Amino acid sequence: LDIEVTILNVNDNSPVFSQTNITAVVPEDTKVNAVVVPRQDLSASDADPDTIYYELTTIVTGTDGYFAIKGVNNPEIYLQKALDYEKFNLTTLVLYARDRPVGSLEETNTATATINIYIEQADTKPPWFLPCTFINTDKSICISSRYTGTVNIYEISMDPLILEPGPIYAIDPDYLLNEKIMYSIVGGDPDKVFSVDADTGNLTMNKAATSLDSYLLQVMATQVNNIQKYSIASVEIKVVSKNNHPPYFKTRIYNGTVFAGLDPRSFVFQAGDPSTPLMITAEDDDFPNV
């Protein structure tokens, strides 16, 4: 008697990941939709064999929505939205592999793999002139105020100019990289009256100003390693006449006469000369001809 026996497969094996703990380093400037962990590093096998269904979850608060898998049967992880190192630099994902679809009423076996993703800071921001004010809540954009200073007409200052609210200074806001900054004047000084030190940002004079017109300089801060990363600040230099002497009154005491019953804003007259209005005048030896 020939007896044919058919062995029925029982779902008694769980999916198995080749790696259950994976570490990936992702540059901050990675393009959206780029693959960050390839499929071959994440695929699970099943000895039964069954179709494997995948699900990805994020366990670090505030970092969800950045990474996703390509599909329920494709565990390849890709970047779903742009990264920002200032927001977070590490997240942990958990990848589930099941031998039945999510929500199935059949007995389901599950395996998990942990993926630790470290964000590597990239050179994404141009220099910031300091001091500056943040204009958005995530502090990714900082706007500086105009620098201001004064010089005397017909004089050359031998020292770096004193500016408000402080000296010209810029930083690389990608602080882990901290790329070197160089400075240059790119506008507002056609006569080359001023120079800026490429390394320090100190503003000095090449020659004297010969007009009382103000200068509105455009100073550029550029990363040495990448000239496309730059910022421009305005520097207003006011040209003034030299002021070595304080003003003074021609006399210490002025005597005047007023008459009862006069209307408001009526003249006060000089004492002893009721026909001449009282005049109070001051002089300044810096302006002898005025």
Side-chain angles (χ1 to χ4, degrees):
L1 178 65
D2 291 333
I3 300 174
E4 183 177 310
V5 178
T6 301
I7 308 300
L8 299 178
N9 187 37
V10 176
N11 187 18
D12 56 351
N13 292 289
S14 296
V16 176
F17 284 104
S18 59
Q19 301 179 70
T20 58
N21 201 310
I22 299 170
T23 297
V25 178
V26 180
E28 180 187 10
D29 58 352
T30 298
K31 301 296 184 182
V32 172
N33 295 322
V35 173
V36 296
V37 185
R39 182 172 184 169
Q40 61 266 26
D41 293 344
L42 299 167
S43 295
S45 58
D46 192 327
D48 284 323
D50 293 313
T51 300
I52 299 177
Y53 302 86
Y54 298 94
E55 181 185 9
L56 186 69
T57 62
T58 305
I59 64 174
V60 177
T61 302
T63 65
D64 55 314
Y66 285 88
F67 300 96
I69 57 176
K70 286 293 184 72
V72 68
N73 300 121
N74 183 354
E76 192 166 68
I77 297 175
Y78 71 98
L79 182 64
Q80 195 166 232
K81 63 180 181 179
L83 297 168
D84 186 344
Y85 186 87
E86 304 298 329
K87 292 182 178 179
F88 72 94
N89 52 42
L90 168 65
T91 188
T92 300
L93 312 175
V94 175
L95 181 64
Y96 294 87
R98 300 182 177 92
D99 54 15
R100 296 292 183 270
V102 175
S104 173
L105 298 179
E106 297 182 61
E107 182 179 350
T108 303
N109 297 310
T110 304
T112 60
T114 301
I115 302 99
N116 295 301
I117 295 183
Y118 292 87
I119 310 304
E120 183 180 63
Q121 188 171 40
D123 191 4
T124 60
K125 298 182 178 69
W128 289 347
F129 282 96
L130 299 182
C132 64
T133 303
F134 292 107
I135 63 170
N136 54 349
T137 55
D138 62 3
K139 296 185 178 181
S140 60
I141 301 176
C142 203
I143 303 299
S144 63
S145 301
R146 176 181 294 180
Y147 296 96
T148 59
T150 59
V151 296
N152 293 323
I153 193 171
Y154 304 124
E155 286 191 0
I156 301 177
S157 174
M158 305 308 296
D159 298 316
L161 301 185
I162 297 175
L163 304 176
E164 295 291 339
I168 297 172
Y169 180 62
I171 62 167
D172 179 6
D174 299 308
Y175 58 90
L176 289 182
L177 303 178
N178 195 27
E179 298 293 349
K180 181 178 174 59
I181 305 296
M182 63 180 180
Y183 304 90
S184 59
I185 297 174
V186 295
D189 186 20
D191 298 326
K192 308 297 182 184
V193 175
F194 302 96
S195 290
V196 65
D197 188 286
D199 294 320
T200 66
N202 286 334
L203 194 65
T204 55
M205 299 187 71
N206 300 320
K207 55 186 178 181
T210 58
S211 169
L212 289 175
D213 294 334
S214 295
Y215 291 85
L216 188 59
L217 309 179
Q218 303 297 310
V219 176
M220 183 167 67
T222 309
Q223 288 183 194
V224 172
N225 71 323
N226 185 353
I227 61 173
Q228 293 183 342
K229 292 288 191 305
Y230 68 90
S231 293
I232 295 178
S234 297
V235 183
E236 183 180 16
I237 304 297
K238 297 178 180 179
V239 182
V240 299
S241 296
K242 191 171 183 179
N243 189 4
N244 291 327
H245 303 90
Y248 59 89
F249 292 105
K250 296 184 68 174
T251 180
R252 296 183 60 187
I253 298 175
Y254 291 84
N255 295 309
T257 300
V258 295
F259 300 98
L262 291 176
D263 294 330
R265 304 183 66 84
S266 296
F267 283 119
V268 175
F269 294 94
Q270 292 187 23
D273 187 358
S275 62
T276 303
L278 178 64
M279 296 184 64
I280 300 175
T281 59
E283 294 184 357
D284 189 330
D285 291 338
D286 289 314
F287 304 93
N289 299 321
V290 177

